[in-house]
Amino acid sequence: QVQLVESGGGLVQAGGSLRLSCAASGSSFSPNVVAWYRQPPGKQREVVATLTSGGYKNDATSVKGRFTISRDSAKNTVSLQMNNLKPEDTAVYYCYAYEFVPYWGQGTQVTVSS
């Protein structure tokens, strides 16, 4: 059973940076797609950034130029570098991976103060 565990969330001032990490258990896990989603308070979960095994990336318009998704296949980790954070980036961030079935992490809170 593959598990995804996020880390790196926290409280940061507007304009600051955070780096989220997602570690996957299972040495043979090789997802076709990895992504980060977020769920702001009182809102629905939304996709933030996606990365396929072929290297195709897609970022939400709201984070373009500020967030970068990356993957280290050797370490089975996925990261999200978040720069120039804004209060509207406040949300619970979830790691997502797809290999035959979808997998989700438990979420990590990111709070950006103004």
Side-chain angles (χ1 to χ4, degrees), residues 2-6 22-25 29 95-97 103-107:
V2 174
Q3 289 188 325
L4 304 180
V5 179
E6 300 102 335
C22 173
S25 62
F29 187 56
C95 179
Y96 168 91
Y103 297 92
W104 292 93
Q106 82 287 353

Side-chain angles (χ1 to χ4, degrees), residues 5-30:
V5 179
E6 300 102 335
S7 61
L11 173 64
V12 64
Q13 287 188 333
S17 298
L18 281 176
R19 186 177 180 86
L20 304 183
S21 293
C22 173
S25 62
S27 59
S28 62
F29 187 56
S30 182

Side-chain angles (χ1 to χ4, degrees), residues 23-103:
S25 62
S27 59
S28 62
F29 187 56
S30 182
N32 307 106
V33 179
V34 294
W36 287 93
Y37 283 72
R38 67 185 181 187
Q39 187 164 15
K43 296 184 179 180
Q44 291 189 336
R45 193 174 298 190
E46 60 186 16
V47 62
V48 174
T50 303
L51 174 62
T52 70
S53 57
Y56 174 77
K57 290 186 179 182
N58 190 41
D59 300 330
T61 301
S62 59
V63 306
K64 280 186 186 296
R66 300 189 298 122
F67 291 12
T68 303
I69 187 172
S70 61
R71 174 179 177 179
D72 187 333
S73 298
K75 296 182 178 179
N76 258 353
T77 59
V78 181
S79 298
L80 185 68
Q81 178 65 42
M82 306 185 293
N83 298 327
N84 190 21
L85 283 160
K86 304 176 181 181
E88 51 264 42
D89 294 320
T90 294
V92 178
Y93 284 71
Y94 297 90
C95 179
Y96 168 91
Y98 183 88
E99 185 187 36
F100 307 117
V101 297
Y103 297 92

